Amino acid sequence: VKIQNNQAADQGGGLYLSPRTSAGVAIHGQVANNSAGSGGGVGLSAPAFGLSVDLSRAKLNGNQTLGGGTGSGGGLSVSGDSSSAETLSILMDDAVFRSNRADIDGAGVHIDYSGAMPFTVSATNCRIEGNTAGGNGGGAYLRGPASGGTVRFTNSSFAANRAVMGAGLFMVGQHGSQESLMLEGTAFTGNIAQQDGGAIYLGTGGITATLDQVELSSNRSLNGAGGGLYSSEGTGRIAIQGGSRITLNSAESGGGIFHSGQRVLALFNAHFDGNTASAGLGIYNAGPLTFEPGGELGSAVVDIRDGLYLQDESAVPMLYSNLTLDSMIQLERSGYVTPNQTGTPIVVASSAPSLETEASAFRAPASGGEGWGIRISDDRHEVLWEPEQYAIRYENTMGAENPNPDSY
């Protein structure tokens, strides 16, 4: 089936469905070069009794919004208000969303669902590439209901998408909601945001995100933070594991990741290298950060070779496991991590009460800390950056009277 070169003033340039009862919709063909006020390719409105959408093997390419509607959802727009009392389910295995455009949000995929029940999105081998949004979510824009939802992308690709924020993926929830985002073996490459979140933007809501064997590479936030990932405002947790790689991303702050707010950033097995920023080359941290067991023998694998920026004392990482021998954390100078005239030690990591940690993985800032070094605290529960301690001992080799003390 091919649906091509159609236009609608309001919704669904190629296809629009607003069923009155519970419905199942399957689209497996090509939807290309259509336009509408919203849902340039396909527009779907969830009914009161639920909607199941199967887009397996569908190709939504070159569709766009042209005003007259919400201006969102260049390729696909799915909506549902509080009258939707059942679950919204969307399957996108082997689907392609390419070169779609939206005046506002969600150039490739736009899902804004406010129903009473959770929504689910599942995609394997899905490609979301080359889409451009005038607002947020160049590749995909996801906003779930207060009841939450589950989103899973496996072995998928978000590449060369553009937006104001969240060029690859933009996800927010309502206050108090609980959303789950699972990214497995998925790559975000070459996405460009004008502001925050070159690849991924996680905002309000209780979002629990897992990045497992994920690649965030060569994404950019041109005038904002979080070239690879931006997280702020919401609650929940972000777990990065499986040897995920965050490399060659750039932003004004947080070249790899910008993290603030109450949401926990948990690193199990993650590698950062080659990211660039004015502050926080690898990670700009202003929220709760933990290192947790993700490697062999229950150790954390944390390799931040470019730089970890700690905004203040509350941003100091908490270790729940020891670090592997090949782990490395390169500290950056910040307003908090900076030498003081009194020589007071600066805590740069702490460990759980049950864990005695090591300091060998930590590296002092590359400049501006001459005479300061990294050591473990006496109780072995804190990693400190403090003035080096030197001992000078005089040896009376001549056997004559020596007015100097034995040591200083």
Side-chain angles (χ1 to χ4, degrees):
V1 175
K2 294 183 179 180
I3 303 173
Q4 299 180 116
N5 305 315
N6 301 287
Q7 184 172 339
D10 192 5
Q11 302 181 58
L15 174 68
Y16 176 71
L17 293 173
S18 181
R20 296 180 179 275
T21 62
S22 179
V25 178
I27 302 171
H28 302 310
Q30 180 171 317
V31 182
N33 303 319
N34 304 285
S35 61
S38 62
V42 176
L44 300 172
S45 179
F49 299 102
L51 178 64
S52 176
V53 182
D54 184 355
L55 293 170
S56 299
R57 302 181 303 281
K59 293 179 173 60
L60 280 72
N61 301 329
N63 304 286
Q64 61 182 319
T65 64
L66 292 176
T70 65
S72 295
L76 170 69
S77 176
V78 181
S79 61
D81 59 25
S82 59
S83 65
S84 300
E86 297 295 333
T87 299
L88 168 66
S89 175
I90 300 174
L91 180 65
M92 303 191 304
D93 290 355
D94 298 300
V96 177
F97 299 82
R98 182 178 290 128
S99 301
N100 301 287
R101 303 180 68 88
D103 294 333
I104 310 297
D105 299 326
V109 176
H110 182 266
I111 300 173
D112 190 349
Y113 183 67
S114 302
M117 297 295 287
F119 76 104
T120 62
V121 177
S122 179
T124 299
N125 298 323
C126 179
R127 289 179 291 168
I128 301 179
E129 302 170 345
N131 303 284
T132 302
N136 303 324
Y141 176 103
L142 306 171
R143 180 178 181 271
S147 53
T150 300
V151 177
R152 180 186 295 268
F153 284 92
T154 303
N155 297 332
S156 297
S157 170
F158 292 74
N161 301 290
R162 301 181 71 106
V164 175
M165 296 192 292
L169 172 66
F170 181 96
M171 185 172 184
V172 294
Q174 298 185 32
H175 291 285
S177 63
Q178 298 295 321
E179 283 83 22
S180 172
L181 172 65
M182 184 72 183
L183 302 173
E184 300 171 301
T186 293
F188 291 75
T189 56
N191 301 286
I192 301 175
Q194 292 296 319
Q195 297 179 19
D196 301 325
I200 301 171
Y201 180 106
L202 301 178
T204 55
I207 299 173
T208 298
T210 301
L211 281 64
D212 189 356
Q213 301 181 61
V214 165
E215 178 187 2
L216 305 181
S217 182
S218 302
N219 304 286
R220 291 189 287 164
S221 295
L222 299 179
N223 302 295
L229 185 151
Y230 177 93
S231 173
S232 182
E233 301 179 78
T235 58
R237 187 168 94 144
I238 304 167
I240 302 181
Q241 60 192 44
S244 292
R245 301 187 63 82
I246 296 92
T247 62
L248 304 175
N249 304 286
S250 64
E252 289 187 345
S253 56
I257 292 177
F258 180 92
H259 170 237
S260 67
Q262 301 178 48
R263 187 175 292 129
V264 176
L265 175 61
L267 303 182
F268 291 78
N269 189 333
H271 302 266
F272 297 76
D273 198 11
N275 302 290
T276 58
S278 298
L281 281 75
I283 301 176
Y284 185 110
N285 191 52
L289 171 63
T290 64
F291 298 162
E292 310 206 22
E296 296 181 0
L297 303 177
S299 297
V301 184
V302 180
D303 194 22
I304 309 175
R305 294 184 174 270
D306 32 27
L308 171 61
Y309 183 101
L310 305 176
Q311 179 173 283
D312 51 37
E313 189 174 3
S314 68
V316 170
M318 174 65 70
L319 279 69
Y320 288 100
S321 74
N322 283 311
L323 297 165
T324 58
L325 294 176
D326 57 348
S327 291
M328 175 180 167
I329 296 105
Q330 176 64 60
L331 297 168
E332 286 186 41
R333 283 281 301 275
S334 68
Y336 169 67
V337 181
T338 193
N340 53 74
Q341 294 183 349
T342 60
T344 302
I346 299 168
V347 178
V348 295
S350 299
S351 69
S354 60
L355 177 69
E356 292 186 357
T357 191
E358 298 287 344
S360 58
F362 290 83
R363 303 290 187 271
S367 62
E370 291 75 12
W372 284 57
I374 299 288
R375 79 168 185 90
I376 198 74
S377 64
D378 293 338
D379 65 3
R380 307 192 67 81
H381 289 307
E382 292 179 330
V383 179
L384 307 174
W385 191 42
E386 64 176 14
E388 298 278 11
Q389 302 294 321
Y390 297 97
I392 302 174
R393 181 176 179 83
Y394 287 90
E395 297 289 343
N396 187 3
T397 59
M398 303 300 293
E401 183 177 348
N402 184 356
N404 296 303
D406 287 343
S407 63
Y408 287 85

